[in-house]
Amino acid sequence: MAVLAAALGLFLLVNIVVGLIRVLRGPTEADRMLAAQLFGSTGVALLMLLAAALQRPALLDVALVFALLSAIAAIAFVRRYWTRREMTAGGDDGGA
Amino acid sequence: MVVLEYLGWGLVLAGMPFFAAGTVGLLRFPDFFCRLHALTKADNLGLGLVSLGLGLQSGSWLVAFKLLLIWLLVLVSSAAVSHLMARTALRNGVRPWRRP
């Protein structure tokens, strides 16, 4: 079963590497951020597999932190970079 | 317990095509909204099947509960972030792709 876990982890890594193509030539910054979102969830799955294969439950906490960080990164991207509507009327975030 | 182990690995294997579909969709789809749509499959269903399978074969309630908790966190955050990104894209004037 360890061989199967290693093969599946390698498959997820290949997914991440192939997704980097979109980071290279996504026409907009938003497309690159989408690729980063996908890397976040794939990395969480990879850490879960590793925790099961190596019998290290501590890796599940790392996966939890990964999930939190990818969400926070996407929200920060949308709110602070993608929209340049800070300090203008009409924004629903009440200004920065 | 052997049955649970095989069932768990089967579920993990069933989750892998969703990750592949997310990657392929991210590369092949024509615009931002289609890519976002492909990507949430990997978030929700792929990670859900992987965490369910690993929780079944872990054999301890604590590990299974933690896996479920990670999946629920990813579900909630993925839904919120996807909605936020799509709404911001619409407001920024990104036009949805139409069949030419």
Side-chain angles (χ1 to χ4, degrees), chain B residues 26-48:
Chain B
L26 189 75
L27 288 181
R28 298 285 301 156
F29 276 173
D31 81 333
F32 176 79
F33 298 102
C34 300
R35 284 173 201 146
L36 184 64
H37 167 75
L39 183 140
T40 45
K41 305 290 167 296
D43 269 347
N44 301 318
L45 210 43
L47 195 69

PDB file of all heavy atoms in Angstrom, chain B residues 26-48:
ATOM      1  N   LEU B  26      -8.205  23.826 -16.066  1.00  0.00           N
ATOM      2  CA  LEU B  26      -7.452  25.069 -15.879  1.00  0.00           C
ATOM      3  C   LEU B  26      -6.605  25.383 -17.100  1.00  0.00           C
ATOM      4  O   LEU B  26      -6.418  26.544 -17.461  1.00  0.00           O
ATOM      5  CB  LEU B  26      -6.571  24.934 -14.642  1.00  0.00           C
ATOM      6  CG  LEU B  26      -5.865  26.181 -14.158  1.00  0.00           C
ATOM      7  CD1 LEU B  26      -6.848  27.080 -13.466  1.00  0.00           C
ATOM      8  CD2 LEU B  26      -4.753  25.819 -13.214  1.00  0.00           C
ATOM      9  N   LEU B  27      -6.107  24.333 -17.757  1.00  0.00           N
ATOM     10  CA  LEU B  27      -5.252  24.580 -18.929  1.00  0.00           C
ATOM     11  C   LEU B  27      -6.055  24.800 -20.198  1.00  0.00           C
ATOM     12  O   LEU B  27      -5.660  25.591 -21.053  1.00  0.00           O
ATOM     13  CB  LEU B  27      -4.314  23.392 -19.136  1.00  0.00           C
ATOM     14  CG  LEU B  27      -3.194  23.262 -18.124  1.00  0.00           C
ATOM     15  CD1 LEU B  27      -2.346  22.074 -18.458  1.00  0.00           C
ATOM     16  CD2 LEU B  27      -2.353  24.507 -18.114  1.00  0.00           C
ATOM     17  N   ARG B  28      -7.200  24.119 -20.353  1.00  0.00           N
ATOM     18  CA  ARG B  28      -7.836  24.064 -21.656  1.00  0.00           C
ATOM     19  C   ARG B  28      -9.018  25.008 -21.803  1.00  0.00           C
ATOM     20  O   ARG B  28      -9.421  25.297 -22.923  1.00  0.00           O
ATOM     21  CB  ARG B  28      -8.323  22.636 -21.931  1.00  0.00           C
ATOM     22  CG  ARG B  28      -7.236  21.607 -21.972  1.00  0.00           C
ATOM     23  CD  ARG B  28      -6.446  21.687 -23.246  1.00  0.00           C
ATOM     24  NE  ARG B  28      -7.314  21.484 -24.391  1.00  0.00           N
ATOM     25  CZ  ARG B  28      -7.060  21.926 -25.611  1.00  0.00           C
ATOM     26  NH1 ARG B  28      -5.958  22.575 -25.843  1.00  0.00           N
ATOM     27  NH2 ARG B  28      -7.903  21.701 -26.590  1.00  0.00           N
ATOM     28  N   PHE B  29      -9.601  25.466 -20.695  1.00  0.00           N
ATOM     29  CA  PHE B  29     -10.835  26.233 -20.825  1.00  0.00           C
ATOM     30  C   PHE B  29     -10.543  27.663 -21.259  1.00  0.00           C
ATOM     31  O   PHE B  29      -9.475  28.204 -20.979  1.00  0.00           O
ATOM     32  CB  PHE B  29     -11.612  26.198 -19.516  1.00  0.00           C
ATOM     33  CG  PHE B  29     -12.458  24.983 -19.358  1.00  0.00           C
ATOM     34  CD1 PHE B  29     -13.118  24.726 -18.175  1.00  0.00           C
ATOM     35  CD2 PHE B  29     -12.600  24.087 -20.385  1.00  0.00           C
ATOM     36  CE1 PHE B  29     -13.896  23.594 -18.023  1.00  0.00           C
ATOM     37  CE2 PHE B  29     -13.381  22.955 -20.247  1.00  0.00           C
ATOM     38  CZ  PHE B  29     -14.027  22.719 -19.063  1.00  0.00           C
ATOM     39  N   PRO B  30     -11.503  28.282 -21.952  1.00  0.00           N
ATOM     40  CA  PRO B  30     -11.180  29.530 -22.653  1.00  0.00           C
ATOM     41  C   PRO B  30     -11.151  30.782 -21.792  1.00  0.00           C
ATOM     42  O   PRO B  30     -10.451  31.722 -22.138  1.00  0.00           O
ATOM     43  CB  PRO B  30     -12.278  29.632 -23.703  1.00  0.00           C
ATOM     44  CG  PRO B  30     -13.408  28.878 -23.137  1.00  0.00           C
ATOM     45  CD  PRO B  30     -12.808  27.763 -22.364  1.00  0.00           C
ATOM     46  N   ASP B  31     -11.924  30.854 -20.711  1.00  0.00           N
ATOM     47  CA  ASP B  31     -11.900  32.122 -19.981  1.00  0.00           C
ATOM     48  C   ASP B  31     -11.908  31.877 -18.482  1.00  0.00           C
ATOM     49  O   ASP B  31     -11.932  30.749 -17.999  1.00  0.00           O
ATOM     50  CB  ASP B  31     -13.058  33.032 -20.409  1.00  0.00           C
ATOM     51  CG  ASP B  31     -14.349  32.662 -19.719  1.00  0.00           C
ATOM     52  OD1 ASP B  31     -14.474  31.484 -19.361  1.00  0.00           O
ATOM     53  OD2 ASP B  31     -15.209  33.520 -19.564  1.00  0.00           O
ATOM     54  N   PHE B  32     -11.891  32.973 -17.750  1.00  0.00           N
ATOM     55  CA  PHE B  32     -11.714  32.943 -16.301  1.00  0.00           C
ATOM     56  C   PHE B  32     -12.819  32.160 -15.604  1.00  0.00           C
ATOM     57  O   PHE B  32     -12.553  31.364 -14.704  1.00  0.00           O
ATOM     58  CB  PHE B  32     -11.673  34.388 -15.798  1.00  0.00           C
ATOM     59  CG  PHE B  32     -11.586  34.515 -14.328  1.00  0.00           C
ATOM     60  CD1 PHE B  32     -10.376  34.335 -13.696  1.00  0.00           C
ATOM     61  CD2 PHE B  32     -12.705  34.802 -13.575  1.00  0.00           C
ATOM     62  CE1 PHE B  32     -10.283  34.439 -12.322  1.00  0.00           C
ATOM     63  CE2 PHE B  32     -12.620  34.908 -12.209  1.00  0.00           C
ATOM     64  CZ  PHE B  32     -11.407  34.733 -11.594  1.00  0.00           C
ATOM     65  N   PHE B  33     -14.058  32.381 -16.028  1.00  0.00           N
ATOM     66  CA  PHE B  33     -15.169  31.754 -15.310  1.00  0.00           C
ATOM     67  C   PHE B  33     -15.196  30.248 -15.537  1.00  0.00           C
ATOM     68  O   PHE B  33     -15.473  29.481 -14.608  1.00  0.00           O
ATOM     69  CB  PHE B  33     -16.486  32.393 -15.751  1.00  0.00           C
ATOM     70  CG  PHE B  33     -16.559  33.842 -15.426  1.00  0.00           C
ATOM     71  CD1 PHE B  33     -16.352  34.793 -16.401  1.00  0.00           C
ATOM     72  CD2 PHE B  33     -16.801  34.260 -14.143  1.00  0.00           C
ATOM     73  CE1 PHE B  33     -16.411  36.132 -16.094  1.00  0.00           C
ATOM     74  CE2 PHE B  33     -16.846  35.597 -13.829  1.00  0.00           C
ATOM     75  CZ  PHE B  33     -16.650  36.536 -14.806  1.00  0.00           C
ATOM     76  N   CYS B  34     -14.908  29.819 -16.763  1.00  0.00           N
ATOM     77  CA  CYS B  34     -14.854  28.375 -17.022  1.00  0.00           C
ATOM     78  C   CYS B  34     -13.749  27.727 -16.200  1.00  0.00           C
ATOM     79  O   CYS B  34     -13.917  26.628 -15.660  1.00  0.00           O
ATOM     80  CB  CYS B  34     -14.605  28.107 -18.500  1.00  0.00           C
ATOM     81  SG  CYS B  34     -15.849  28.771 -19.587  1.00  0.00           S
ATOM     82  N   ARG B  35     -12.622  28.405 -16.097  1.00  0.00           N
ATOM     83  CA  ARG B  35     -11.504  27.830 -15.320  1.00  0.00           C
ATOM     84  C   ARG B  35     -11.860  27.727 -13.847  1.00  0.00           C
ATOM     85  O   ARG B  35     -11.554  26.728 -13.188  1.00  0.00           O
ATOM     86  CB  ARG B  35     -10.264  28.704 -15.497  1.00  0.00           C
ATOM     87  CG  ARG B  35      -9.616  28.489 -16.827  1.00  0.00           C
ATOM     88  CD  ARG B  35      -8.500  29.469 -17.059  1.00  0.00           C
ATOM     89  NE  ARG B  35      -8.232  29.577 -18.476  1.00  0.00           N
ATOM     90  CZ  ARG B  35      -7.850  30.697 -19.069  1.00  0.00           C
ATOM     91  NH1 ARG B  35      -7.708  31.795 -18.372  1.00  0.00           N
ATOM     92  NH2 ARG B  35      -7.601  30.715 -20.350  1.00  0.00           N
ATOM     93  N   LEU B  36     -12.522  28.751 -13.339  1.00  0.00           N
ATOM     94  CA  LEU B  36     -12.962  28.715 -11.944  1.00  0.00           C
ATOM     95  C   LEU B  36     -13.918  27.550 -11.712  1.00  0.00           C
ATOM     96  O   LEU B  36     -13.828  26.843 -10.701  1.00  0.00           O
ATOM     97  CB  LEU B  36     -13.636  30.045 -11.612  1.00  0.00           C
ATOM     98  CG  LEU B  36     -14.090  30.278 -10.193  1.00  0.00           C
ATOM     99  CD1 LEU B  36     -12.900  30.300  -9.278  1.00  0.00           C
ATOM    100  CD2 LEU B  36     -14.808  31.593 -10.092  1.00  0.00           C
ATOM    101  N   HIS B  37     -14.805  27.323 -12.682  1.00  0.00           N
ATOM    102  CA  HIS B  37     -15.774  26.246 -12.572  1.00  0.00           C
ATOM    103  C   HIS B  37     -15.076  24.886 -12.543  1.00  0.00           C
ATOM    104  O   HIS B  37     -15.434  24.008 -11.756  1.00  0.00           O
ATOM    105  CB  HIS B  37     -16.722  26.342 -13.770  1.00  0.00           C
ATOM    106  CG  HIS B  37     -17.566  25.155 -13.975  1.00  0.00           C
ATOM    107  ND1 HIS B  37     -18.644  24.874 -13.184  1.00  0.00           N
ATOM    108  CD2 HIS B  37     -17.517  24.168 -14.883  1.00  0.00           C
ATOM    109  CE1 HIS B  37     -19.206  23.770 -13.597  1.00  0.00           C
ATOM    110  NE2 HIS B  37     -18.543  23.317 -14.625  1.00  0.00           N
ATOM    111  N   ALA B  38     -14.047  24.717 -13.386  1.00  0.00           N
ATOM    112  CA  ALA B  38     -13.330  23.439 -13.403  1.00  0.00           C
ATOM    113  C   ALA B  38     -12.577  23.230 -12.101  1.00  0.00           C
ATOM    114  O   ALA B  38     -12.483  22.110 -11.585  1.00  0.00           O
ATOM    115  CB  ALA B  38     -12.367  23.413 -14.580  1.00  0.00           C
ATOM    116  N   LEU B  39     -12.057  24.306 -11.554  1.00  0.00           N
ATOM    117  CA  LEU B  39     -11.167  24.187 -10.403  1.00  0.00           C
ATOM    118  C   LEU B  39     -11.914  23.793  -9.130  1.00  0.00           C
ATOM    119  O   LEU B  39     -11.382  23.064  -8.299  1.00  0.00           O
ATOM    120  CB  LEU B  39     -10.500  25.540 -10.242  1.00  0.00           C
ATOM    121  CG  LEU B  39      -9.461  25.775  -9.207  1.00  0.00           C
ATOM    122  CD1 LEU B  39      -8.422  26.636  -9.843  1.00  0.00           C
ATOM    123  CD2 LEU B  39     -10.075  26.505  -8.066  1.00  0.00           C
ATOM    124  N   THR B  40     -13.161  24.224  -9.021  1.00  0.00           N
ATOM    125  CA  THR B  40     -13.886  23.905  -7.793  1.00  0.00           C
ATOM    126  C   THR B  40     -14.234  22.423  -7.709  1.00  0.00           C
ATOM    127  O   THR B  40     -14.489  21.927  -6.615  1.00  0.00           O
ATOM    128  CB  THR B  40     -15.170  24.731  -7.702  1.00  0.00           C
ATOM    129  OG1 THR B  40     -15.816  24.693  -8.966  1.00  0.00           O
ATOM    130  CG2 THR B  40     -14.846  26.153  -7.366  1.00  0.00           C
ATOM    131  N   LYS B  41     -14.222  21.714  -8.859  1.00  0.00           N
ATOM    132  CA  LYS B  41     -14.433  20.266  -8.781  1.00  0.00           C
ATOM    133  C   LYS B  41     -13.311  19.618  -7.972  1.00  0.00           C
ATOM    134  O   LYS B  41     -13.571  18.775  -7.112  1.00  0.00           O
ATOM    135  CB  LYS B  41     -14.448  19.660 -10.179  1.00  0.00           C
ATOM    136  CG  LYS B  41     -15.452  20.280 -11.104  1.00  0.00           C
ATOM    137  CD  LYS B  41     -16.841  19.928 -10.710  1.00  0.00           C
ATOM    138  CE  LYS B  41     -17.818  20.803 -11.438  1.00  0.00           C
ATOM    139  NZ  LYS B  41     -17.698  22.223 -11.098  1.00  0.00           N
ATOM    140  N   ALA B  42     -12.094  20.004  -8.265  1.00  0.00           N
ATOM    141  CA  ALA B  42     -10.964  19.434  -7.531  1.00  0.00           C
ATOM    142  C   ALA B  42     -11.053  19.783  -6.054  1.00  0.00           C
ATOM    143  O   ALA B  42     -10.805  18.944  -5.183  1.00  0.00           O
ATOM    144  CB  ALA B  42      -9.662  19.939  -8.120  1.00  0.00           C
ATOM    145  N   ASP B  43     -11.432  21.025  -5.764  1.00  0.00           N
ATOM    146  CA  ASP B  43     -11.538  21.443  -4.370  1.00  0.00           C
ATOM    147  C   ASP B  43     -12.530  20.582  -3.607  1.00  0.00           C
ATOM    148  O   ASP B  43     -12.218  20.048  -2.547  1.00  0.00           O
ATOM    149  CB  ASP B  43     -12.025  22.894  -4.313  1.00  0.00           C
ATOM    150  CG  ASP B  43     -10.867  23.857  -4.298  1.00  0.00           C
ATOM    151  OD1 ASP B  43      -9.749  23.388  -4.086  1.00  0.00           O
ATOM    152  OD2 ASP B  43     -11.090  25.039  -4.515  1.00  0.00           O
ATOM    153  N   ASN B  44     -13.731  20.472  -4.153  1.00  0.00           N
ATOM    154  CA  ASN B  44     -14.810  19.904  -3.354  1.00  0.00           C
ATOM    155  C   ASN B  44     -14.837  18.386  -3.424  1.00  0.00           C
ATOM    156  O   ASN B  44     -14.719  17.705  -2.413  1.00  0.00           O
ATOM    157  CB  ASN B  44     -16.155  20.463  -3.839  1.00  0.00           C
ATOM    158  CG  ASN B  44     -16.182  21.960  -3.728  1.00  0.00           C
ATOM    159  OD1 ASN B  44     -15.721  22.502  -2.744  1.00  0.00           O
ATOM    160  ND2 ASN B  44     -16.690  22.618  -4.736  1.00  0.00           N
ATOM    161  N   LEU B  45     -14.996  17.860  -4.652  1.00  0.00           N
ATOM    162  CA  LEU B  45     -15.225  16.428  -4.781  1.00  0.00           C
ATOM    163  C   LEU B  45     -13.924  15.636  -4.678  1.00  0.00           C
ATOM    164  O   LEU B  45     -13.875  14.600  -4.003  1.00  0.00           O
ATOM    165  CB  LEU B  45     -15.905  16.166  -6.122  1.00  0.00           C
ATOM    166  CG  LEU B  45     -16.826  14.977  -6.175  1.00  0.00           C
ATOM    167  CD1 LEU B  45     -17.685  14.938  -4.937  1.00  0.00           C
ATOM    168  CD2 LEU B  45     -17.708  15.079  -7.383  1.00  0.00           C
ATOM    169  N   GLY B  46     -12.861  16.115  -5.323  1.00  0.00           N
ATOM    170  CA  GLY B  46     -11.608  15.368  -5.258  1.00  0.00           C
ATOM    171  C   GLY B  46     -11.078  15.277  -3.845  1.00  0.00           C
ATOM    172  O   GLY B  46     -10.795  14.189  -3.330  1.00  0.00           O
ATOM    173  N   LEU B  47     -10.979  16.424  -3.180  1.00  0.00           N
ATOM    174  CA  LEU B  47     -10.467  16.408  -1.813  1.00  0.00           C
ATOM    175  C   LEU B  47     -11.428  15.682  -0.878  1.00  0.00           C
ATOM    176  O   LEU B  47     -10.996  15.017   0.067  1.00  0.00           O
ATOM    177  CB  LEU B  47     -10.247  17.844  -1.344  1.00  0.00           C
ATOM    178  CG  LEU B  47      -9.405  17.980  -0.110  1.00  0.00           C
ATOM    179  CD1 LEU B  47      -7.987  17.615  -0.414  1.00  0.00           C
ATOM    180  CD2 LEU B  47      -9.472  19.374   0.430  1.00  0.00           C
ATOM    181  N   GLY B  48     -12.742  15.768  -1.160  1.00  0.00           N
ATOM    182  CA  GLY B  48     -13.701  15.071  -0.328  1.00  0.00           C
ATOM    183  C   GLY B  48     -13.519  13.566  -0.389  1.00  0.00           C
ATOM    184  O   GLY B  48     -13.517  12.885   0.645  1.00  0.00           O
TER     185      GLY B  48
END
